[in-house]
């Protein structure tokens, strides 16, 4: 018999792979939500399937966006444990997460099972699902004004007089703002915070709201006093207030600086009345 070189033969027996089932845990994937993609792979061949892996790729249909990206993330590849011969099976799972800026669209994700030794590639059915953008609050500052003691607007503030800052926080977004805190700060010499006006009371704490519904507004009044220690800085005679608003999620808060003119000239006051004194 003619001797044959064993190097002509492939090593081992081939697996025969098939994708049995692809399941997805969500019908609609919302922004900031995580779903689970599960793939079951079967081996009906006479050899074990080793070093198998699954590749994932996708698009957002109609937007020409290649996936994964920052707003729809998932692993590009995942390893599969050894799939035993003669009907063995393995199941792999990946997490698919919608980012904060995810938009409403149709997503298409393609999976491909690859066995490197026998160069096997099995393409899975396309997974199609809807993505949905985040309903979010949008907190904005409106109606800022400086008020006198009668709470009527005034153009300038004078030294040694207390005054009110009145402003409104509005939620112009499409979702409830939760755990909303407001804080007004000023680091100028001579500017004293007296309190926060709530009805007929003066509170010594910054405002906090458990919820601000979509479209709802909250009006806030701070009371201040400016004494004679206030000084102009390089000709700038303005009070500067920083309004910081935070929400339970960092990206939905804001910080805004507001300025108010102040008259820093101390005027002589009082009328001198001469009184004649009888020397007798």
């Amino acid at each position: 018999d003619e001797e044959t070189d064993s190097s002509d033969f492939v090593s081992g027996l081939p697996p025969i792979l098939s994708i049995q089932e692809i399941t997805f845990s969500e019908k609609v994937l919302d922004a900031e939500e995580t779903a689970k993609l599960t793939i079951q792979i079967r081996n009906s061949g006479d050899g074990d399937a080793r070093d198998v892996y699954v590749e994932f790729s996708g698009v957002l249909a109609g937007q020409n966006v290649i996936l994964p990206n920052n707003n729809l993330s998932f692993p590009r590849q995942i390893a599969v444990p050894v799939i035993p011969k003669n009907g063995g099976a393995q199941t792999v799972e990946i997490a698919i997460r919608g980012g904060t800026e995810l938009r409403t669209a149709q997503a298409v994700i393609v999976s491909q099972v690859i066995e490197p030794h026998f160069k096997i590639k099995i393409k899975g059915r396309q997974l199609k699902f809807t993505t949905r953008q985040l309903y979010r609050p949008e907190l904005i500052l409106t109606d800022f004004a400086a008020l006198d003691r009668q709470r009527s607007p005034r153009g300038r503030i004078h030294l040694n007089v207390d005054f009110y800052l009145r402003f409104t926080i509005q939620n112009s977004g499409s979702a409830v703002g939760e755990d909303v805190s407001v804080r007004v700060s000023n680091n100028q010499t001579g500017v004293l915070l007296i309190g926060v006006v709530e009805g007929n009371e003066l509170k010594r704490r910054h405002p906090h709201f458990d919820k601000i519904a979509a479209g709802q507004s909250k009006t806030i009044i701070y009371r201040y006093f400016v004494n004679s220690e206030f000084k102009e800085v390089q000709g700038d005679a303005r009070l500067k207030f920083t309004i910081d608003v935070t929400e339970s999620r960092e990206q939905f808060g804001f910080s805004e600086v507001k300025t108010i003119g102040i008259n820093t000239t101390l005027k002589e006051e009082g009328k001198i009345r001469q009184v004649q004194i009888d020397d007798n």
Side-chain angles (χ1 to χ4, degrees), residues 128-148:
K128 298 180 180 180
F129 59 93
T130 299
T131 62
R132 187 164 56 196
Q133 68 189 46
L134 181 69
Y135 291 102
R136 63 184 67 198
E138 185 175 354
L139 301 172
I140 60 174
L141 178 67
T142 63
D143 302 330
F144 180 87
L147 312 172
D148 61 19

Side-chain angles (χ1 to χ4, degrees), residues 15-222:
I16 298 177
L17 301 179
S18 60
I19 297 176
Q20 296 295 289
E21 190 175 44
I22 300 175
T23 58
F24 192 55
S25 62
E26 300 291 334
K27 292 183 178 180
V28 178
L29 180 65
D30 292 315
E32 296 192 343
E33 183 180 34
T34 300
K36 182 171 66 177
L37 172 62
T38 304
I39 298 180
Q40 185 183 57
I41 308 166
R42 185 171 183 267
N43 178 13
S44 58
D46 294 328
D48 292 340
R50 301 180 183 278
D51 303 319
V52 176
Y53 58 95
V54 186
E55 288 184 341
F56 300 94
S57 61
V59 295
L60 280 182
Q63 297 191 21
N64 197 30
V65 176
I66 304 299
L67 301 174
N69 62 16
N70 290 336
N71 290 318
L72 193 64
S73 61
F74 51 86
R76 295 180 183 272
Q77 182 175 303
I78 185 171
V80 181
V82 173
I83 309 174
K85 60 187 176 181
N86 300 324
Q90 293 286 5
T91 299
V92 294
E93 297 178 350
I94 65 166
I96 300 179
R97 177 164 178 78
T100 301
E101 300 301 324
L102 183 66
R103 296 303 177 192
T104 300
Q106 283 293 119
V108 179
I109 294 181
V110 176
S111 56
Q112 185 170 236
V113 176
I114 298 173
E115 193 274 356
H117 303 294
F118 285 87
K119 312 300 181 185
I120 299 171
K121 293 184 179 180
I122 308 295
K123 193 171 185 179
R125 291 185 180 274
Q126 291 185 349
L127 170 66
K128 298 180 180 180
F129 59 93
T130 299
T131 62
R132 187 164 56 196
Q133 68 189 46
L134 181 69
Y135 291 102
R136 63 184 67 198
E138 185 175 354
L139 301 172
I140 60 174
L141 178 67
T142 63
D143 302 330
F144 180 87
L147 312 172
D148 61 19
R149 290 180 180 177
Q150 285 72 45
R151 301 190 190 179
S152 59
R154 60 190 299 175
R156 297 178 72 85
I157 301 299
H158 297 277
L159 293 179
N160 301 315
V161 174
D162 58 343
F163 66 96
Y164 299 95
L165 287 184
R166 186 188 68 193
F167 57 90
T168 300
I169 303 297
Q170 183 181 17
N171 181 3
S172 62
S174 55
V176 174
E178 299 182 350
D179 192 21
V180 178
S181 294
V182 180
R183 188 179 189 89
V184 178
S185 57
N186 177 292
N187 60 4
Q188 294 171 289
T189 302
V191 182
L192 308 178
L193 173 60
I194 299 175
V196 177
V197 180
E198 295 183 10
N200 294 323
E201 297 183 37
L202 193 63
K203 303 290 186 178
R204 300 187 65 83
R205 63 172 182 265
H206 294 279
H208 177 270
F209 307 98
D210 291 334
K211 296 181 183 296
I212 301 180
Q216 188 178 22
S217 298
K218 298 290 185 180
T219 297
I220 299 162
I221 300 175
Y222 275 72

